[in-house]
Amino acid sequence: NKYFAQGSGAGNFFMYDPFAVAGNYPRGVDASEYPDWHTVLAEEFTTEGRDLTIRLREDHTWHDGDSVLAEDVVLQHRLEKAIGARTGGVWEEIAAPDNRTVEFTLTSANTDISLPQLLPNRLRVKRGTAYQDLYEAIESATTDEERQQAKGEVTTTRIDNAVGTGLWKLETTSSSQLT
């Protein structure tokens, strides 16, 4: 669980892919020879003013074989905004007009602030998993007390059968080991 209060462990770095990673510029080399971002889950992304559009790769799947969909991205970012995660502060609106496109309306047109918050963010929240149930509990809460309790569940719930997108696939877990 990415949001677990005791941390999610270093192995998660390899289990989940980001949308893109920042370019790596060797010392003494003109940075114009290198791209600013290297796409991973994103096939491409564009910005115009406060609008960020991410087009997901068609061939990228979760470890269980399901396609990575824009719906997953929207769910993760709405959950993060609901619990007050830092990525929730850089966008105002999010939509998935189709299965591979995510559209953000950013809080600022300054992409030097928003892109480093959103693009390296690793996709860990898959539709139809416990994460969706946790988000729906927050959204359906009718009192502040219920909402706070539901938000707390996000940081204390163990996610069984975690499914990733990255290089490493999770086989088993224990309190001290990921295999």
Side-chain angles (χ1 to χ4, degrees), residues 72-136:
D72 300 315
V73 177
V74 169
L75 177 61
Q76 176 165 314
H77 283 84
R78 286 186 176 157
L79 176 63
E80 289 180 353
K81 188 177 236 19
I83 64 171
R86 65 180 169 82
T87 56
V90 297
W91 61 271
E92 293 174 356
E93 295 179 30
I94 187 171
D98 62 51
N99 284 338
R100 293 185 48 224
T101 306
V102 182
E103 297 174 342
F104 289 91
T105 301
L106 304 172
T107 56
S108 168
N110 184 347
T111 57
D112 288 343
I113 295 171
S114 54
L115 293 184
Q117 295 292 318
L118 293 172
L119 294 180
N121 195 15
R122 295 177 181 284
L123 185 61
R124 294 174 171 97
V125 174
K126 182 178 184 268
R127 69 204 176 281
T129 65
Y131 286 118
Q132 186 163 2
D133 296 338
L134 291 166
Y135 174 69
E136 288 172 1

Side-chain angles (χ1 to χ4, degrees), residues 4-5 26 30-31 33 39 42 45-46 49-50 55 64 72 80-81 97 102 109 140 146 152 166:
F4 197 65
D30 180 5
E33 297 177 21
T39 58
F45 66 91
T46 57
R50 291 184 13 191
R55 184 87 173 142
D64 64 4
D72 300 315
E80 289 180 353
K81 188 177 236 19
V102 182
S140 66
E146 286 178 357

Side-chain angles (χ1 to χ4, degrees), residues 16 57 87 91 149 158:
Y16 305 99
R57 291 186 188 282
T87 56
W91 61 271
Q149 182 178 350
R158 179 178 166 88

Side-chain angles (χ1 to χ4, degrees), residues 138-155:
I138 295 169
E139 288 300 300
S140 66
T142 57
T143 66
D144 287 343
E145 184 178 328
E146 286 178 357
R147 192 169 291 102
Q148 286 307 111
Q149 182 178 350
K151 287 180 182 181
E153 292 289 321
V154 175
T155 61

Side-chain angles (χ1 to χ4, degrees), residues 14-15 62-65 162-164 166-172 179:
F14 298 103
M15 290 171 51
W62 293 94
H63 291 151
D64 64 4
V163 60
L167 181 64
W168 293 359
K169 180 179 178 181
L170 181 67
E171 289 185 8
T172 62
T179 305

